[in-house]
Structures are given as structure tokens and as C-alpha cells.
Amino acid sequence: MVAHIFSLAFIAVIAIFSVPGSSLFSWHPFLMTIGYIGFLFQAILVFSRESCLFSDLKHKNKINIHWILNALGVFSILIAYAAIYYHKEDIQKPHLKTWHGTVGIITIFYTIIQFIAGHNLTIFNFFIRKFVKYQSLCMYHATSGTFLYVLACLSISLGIYSNWFSESTPYYVGYLCFAITAMLGLIVTNQVTAKYVTGKLYMASQNAVLKQQQKKSQPTKIKTK
């Protein structure tokens, strides 16, 4: 539940200082935050046992919610990109001249690719599983999604230290937002690592212990001449 509170707190801060609707640019930080900190973050938490709002649902239903939240996130992100693109066109400023802009556009393209690739686990599942195991495909998708979200957190952090943010907010708000961004990235990384790395290591160790116990329980054969 703490993760959801952090997510909502970040969105509230950006909404207060960006004042969505006050200008064309105001939609960029607000909708990007809704997309990555809101929809995409919640889409990942759907599969979390600790902080999931849908823990009682079946896995199939969780997949559907995951897909819907990701679709809403991608839509928000594309609208946010359109807002900053046309804003810079209006004021005749060049594009991709900052680290925030460069990392941001890479993150957006990666997000679209990740969203499309996720359909290999749903729509194209029956075809893809002929070449790759479903469990392996889930691990690849989750690992790629973790890297994507860390990249998104980096882009957001660069945005926090942009001229607009530093001029529009008190200095302590920037530190607060940076801390929340880092926390959300750690939550996502920990969730995926616990499931696909720590979980597998635990199962491997348990299997090794079980095999040793089985060997000890087997009676020793006495060779007769």
C-alpha cells in the first residue's frame, strides 16, 4: 500500500505545480507522470503479492488489467509527447537538445516496443510458445520491463532538474520527487528480482537439499563376492 501512496503523492505534486490546462506545456509533465508513475507503475504492481490491489483475482484477470493499464499509460505518454513537441514548435525551440529530451525519447520508443512485445504473452502466445517457453518469455518480458522502468525513472529525474521544474517549485520539492522516483524504481526492481532471481535460487537450493536427503535415505548396497 505504501507504493500506491508514493505514486499518488508524486502525481499530486506534479499536478499542483504544472496546473494542467494552464498552457500547452503543462500537459507534458502532468500526462507523463500519469503515464509512467500512474498507469505503468500500477500495471507492474498488479503482479505484486505485497502491494497489489487485485491480489484476490486470478492470474488471467491480472494479465487483462495489466494490459489495460499499460494501454492507458502508453496513450497518456503519447499525448504528453505531442504536447511538448507542438509547444516547442510554437516557440521555435529545437528538439532533443537536453539529456532529459534525449533519454526521454529513447524511453518512449522503448515503451512502445515493450508494449507491443507484451502481446507475445497474450495474443501471439500460441505461436510464440513453439519457439520459446512461456516461463522464459515471462522472465524476458519482466526483465525488459524492469530496465524500461529504471530508464523512465532516470528520464523523470532529469526532468526534475530541468529549468522549468527548478523555477516552478521550491528546492525541497525536487529532493522529495527525486526520492520518490528512486523509491518507485527500487520497488519495481525488487519485485521482479524477488520473483525471477531470488525465487529461482531458493527453488534450486531446495531441490539440491531434497536430492541430498533422498541419497541419504537410500539403503547402501553391500557387494558380495
Side-chain angles (χ1 to χ4, degrees), residues 85-159:
Y85 179 85
Y86 286 111
H87 170 72
K88 288 198 171 185
E89 287 292 313
D90 288 342
I91 62 177
Q92 296 182 349
K93 272 194 173 183
H95 300 277
L96 308 179
K97 290 297 181 178
T98 63
W99 279 108
H100 172 63
T102 302
V103 176
I105 194 64
I106 294 172
T107 305
I108 291 172
F109 277 117
Y110 194 172
T111 302
I112 296 171
I113 294 171
Q114 177 75 3
F115 177 71
I116 295 173
H119 289 79
N120 291 328
L121 294 167
T122 53
I123 299 175
F124 307 115
N125 180 27
F126 292 102
F127 175 75
I128 297 297
R129 68 169 49 188
K130 296 179 181 178
F131 308 97
V132 184
K133 292 182 179 179
Y134 181 78
Q135 291 78 5
S136 298
L137 198 60
C138 288
M139 183 182 66
Y140 299 151
H141 181 67
T143 304
S144 177
T146 303
F147 181 77
L148 167 62
Y149 204 81
V150 171
L151 188 64
C153 289
L154 174 61
S155 178
I156 292 169
S157 299
L158 292 171

Side-chain angles (χ1 to χ4, degrees), residues 3-178:
H4 303 292
I5 295 174
F6 279 137
S7 174
L8 291 174
F10 193 101
I11 294 172
V13 169
I14 298 300
I16 290 170
F17 289 102
S18 65
V19 191
S22 59
S23 65
L24 180 59
F25 172 82
S26 66
W27 291 110
H28 173 70
F30 176 70
L31 289 177
M32 279 294 182
T33 304
I34 290 292
Y36 283 109
I37 303 298
F39 289 126
L40 263 62
F41 182 69
Q42 295 300 326
I44 296 171
L45 290 187
V46 165
F47 300 107
S48 173
R49 295 179 180 179
E50 290 77 15
S51 56
C52 180
L53 297 175
F54 311 99
S55 56
D56 296 331
L57 295 180
K58 294 181 179 179
H59 184 72
K60 183 178 180 181
N61 295 330
K62 289 183 178 181
I63 292 175
N64 292 332
I65 295 174
H66 178 75
W67 182 89
I68 292 171
L69 290 174
N70 274 305
L72 292 172
V74 170
F75 180 74
S76 298
I77 291 163
L78 291 177
I79 297 298
Y81 173 73
I84 190 62
Y85 179 85
Y86 286 111
H87 170 72
K88 288 198 171 185
E89 287 292 313
D90 288 342
I91 62 177
Q92 296 182 349
K93 272 194 173 183
H95 300 277
L96 308 179
K97 290 297 181 178
T98 63
W99 279 108
H100 172 63
T102 302
V103 176
I105 194 64
I106 294 172
T107 305
I108 291 172
F109 277 117
Y110 194 172
T111 302
I112 296 171
I113 294 171
Q114 177 75 3
F115 177 71
I116 295 173
H119 289 79
N120 291 328
L121 294 167
T122 53
I123 299 175
F124 307 115
N125 180 27
F126 292 102
F127 175 75
I128 297 297
R129 68 169 49 188
K130 296 179 181 178
F131 308 97
V132 184
K133 292 182 179 179
Y134 181 78
Q135 291 78 5
S136 298
L137 198 60
C138 288
M139 183 182 66
Y140 299 151
H141 181 67
T143 304
S144 177
T146 303
F147 181 77
L148 167 62
Y149 204 81
V150 171
L151 188 64
C153 289
L154 174 61
S155 178
I156 292 169
S157 299
L158 292 171
I160 291 171
Y161 289 104
S162 65
N163 293 332
W164 168 80
F165 196 92
S166 60
E167 293 172 358
S168 303
T169 62
Y171 73 94
Y172 57 85
V173 174
Y175 291 116
L176 175 64
C177 289
F178 180 78

